[in-house]
Amino acid sequence: MSFSQPAEFNRRRFLGLAAGGLSAAALAACGGGPSTSNEPASSAKPELDFTGVKPASNITFWSSNPGSSQQVTQEIIDAFHQSQSDIKVQLVSAGSTYEDIAQKFQAAQAGGTLPDLVVLSDVWWFRYFLQDSIIPLDGLFKALNWDTSDYREQLLTDYKYNNSTWAVPWARSTPLFYWNKAHWAAAGLPDRAPTTWDEFAEWAPKLQSANAGLQHAFQLPALAGYAGWSFQNNLWGQGGGWSAKESFDVTCDKPEAVAGLQFLADAVYKGKWSGVAGKDSTQDLSAGAVSATIGSTGSLVGILKVAKFDVGAGFLPGGPKSTSPVCPTGGAGVGIPKKIKPENQVAAATFIKFLTSPENTLKFAQATGYMPVRKSADASAIIAKTPQAKVAIDQLSVTRNQDWARVFLPGADQEMANACATILTKNGDVQAEMTKLKSTLEGIYTSQVKPHLK
């Protein structure tokens, strides 16, 4: 089944949105959740006018504290209070995962107390656009003389639709290939990440034989959080994807996509050099139980704090069809609810501008491992202290926008995780599971997304 896009739904208007998040572990629990409402999404409207609106004196910021960021976020809030006296910000921990905060935000739409700004993950913000629950920020950019040209283009354009901007990048990440350098040295391997997955498949037996007591040469990330996000790398390397590039045409059952997942299944069941993390594969790596894994840049600081060995970080490996770009962006931005007073919206935007300033994006990145979202932010101090951070910044130039099937179909991420769990923990048939997944994803598109697109 093939879905053609409505005439108005094209790349120029729907600038590539990307994701996950995903997180340290929290960055990725993004599946499931509420369906979109039956109300039509707003088509292009004149930008909101905030001329003469005085900011509210007190606002709330709902966060899931991605990457264990509560402390550094509070420090930035304290600095904001010191910089001015008109606006006070209360940080509210609205759950420990993106799904937690999304569920709470959804419930508040039905009559609860809404926040004034809220964390919006890669797989959640678009459904809020469909529900008409968040506002475009362009009018606030103008009202606050907020020049957005300094944001990294790959990250800001993730939140553009209908020629409007619906969130600002904040806790942004890419997946990285992490490895135990001591294990590499024991196996006589070159001190670098593998260029391709086939190359790593050749290295894996050497790692296992050279490092006694090793559980696996590689640990797949926990599927509930990472499958839909990080496995795009494996599918893209084979020339496939969850959906066709910049399209809602679901292609997860095509030979290329099946080959990408079959490679992972074979690593678990035939080669037996890969396991599947029950909770957090980066913790398994840090403990020395495995030699390598894929994890968010948001996990970097945590890994370095715990690991008793030198940690390597590199670009994601490619596949036989493509070695670049095969890395998705991910993580979260911050947005503003529609059903709050204009003065609260102005106050929230004033704080977001401060929160994501060059100085504060550096402070946040240094504390968490997320990427600085401003081009003018001088990351040299971070790189000097944590050389691995440069890898994430360098890889950003060769990232690819995520498959629409993952980030724009409500609940698709969880469906992908469920299908991958059957394949990788129950030895399910890859083709059969991907055929079922395609039917599920097409049903989500037809019932929950297509009716809202002009």
Side-chain angles (χ1 to χ4, degrees), residues 51-243:
T51 303
V53 177
K54 182 180 179 180
S57 57
N58 291 280
I59 57 174
T60 57
F61 174 22
W62 281 12
S63 178
S64 55
N65 303 312
S68 302
S69 57
Q70 183 173 354
Q71 180 177 338
V72 67
T73 303
Q74 187 60 56
E75 290 174 0
I76 294 172
I77 290 172
D78 292 342
F80 179 67
H81 292 161
Q82 293 172 6
S83 72
Q84 52 78 56
S85 58
D86 295 330
I87 304 168
K88 296 296 183 183
V89 180
Q90 179 186 2
L91 179 62
V92 176
S93 296
S96 60
T97 68
Y98 288 155
E99 182 170 318
D100 288 344
I101 195 169
Q103 296 284 10
K104 186 171 182 177
F105 184 60
Q106 183 76 7
Q109 302 295 326
T113 300
L114 286 165
D116 298 298
L117 64 153
V118 62
V119 171
L120 303 173
S121 85
D122 51 354
V123 301
W124 284 96
W125 83 261
F126 186 63
R127 72 188 74 188
Y128 297 139
F129 164 80
L130 294 175
Q131 295 170 328
D132 202 21
S133 297
I134 55 177
I135 63 168
L137 303 180
D138 306 270
L140 289 161
F141 297 155
K142 180 179 295 186
L144 299 176
N145 296 315
W146 186 350
D147 182 8
T148 60
S149 63
D150 187 45
Y151 288 94
R152 294 182 183 275
E153 185 178 1
Q154 304 97 318
L155 304 180
L156 185 64
T157 56
D158 284 348
Y159 307 107
K160 288 182 180 280
Y161 177 66
N162 273 356
N163 294 322
S164 297
T165 310
W166 300 87
V168 173
W170 177 51
R172 296 306 307 274
S173 62
T174 62
L176 293 177
F177 185 93
Y178 293 109
W179 75 90
N180 183 323
K181 289 196 170 191
H183 289 185
W184 249 238
L189 299 177
D191 186 24
R192 62 171 174 83
T195 303
T196 66
W197 284 108
D198 285 339
E199 181 177 45
F200 185 71
E202 296 175 358
W203 292 0
K206 300 177 182 179
L207 287 164
Q208 297 199 144
S209 62
N211 294 281
L214 193 67
Q215 289 183 11
H216 298 101
F218 185 78
Q219 191 82 311
L220 288 168
L223 302 179
Y226 275 85
W229 185 48
S230 65
F231 291 175
Q232 289 172 111
N233 160 250
N234 303 91
L235 273 57
W236 294 345
Q238 294 281 354
W242 298 119
S243 55

Side-chain angles (χ1 to χ4, degrees), residues 24 65-70 72-73 170-172 178 296-303 305 361-371:
N65 303 312
S68 302
S69 57
Q70 183 173 354
V72 67
T73 303
W170 177 51
R172 296 306 307 274
Y178 293 109
S296 167
T297 57
S299 301
L300 176 58
V301 171
I303 294 173
K305 284 181 179 179
T361 193
L362 278 175
K363 182 179 180 67
F364 189 80
Q366 191 161 14
T368 63
Y370 287 107
M371 293 182 293

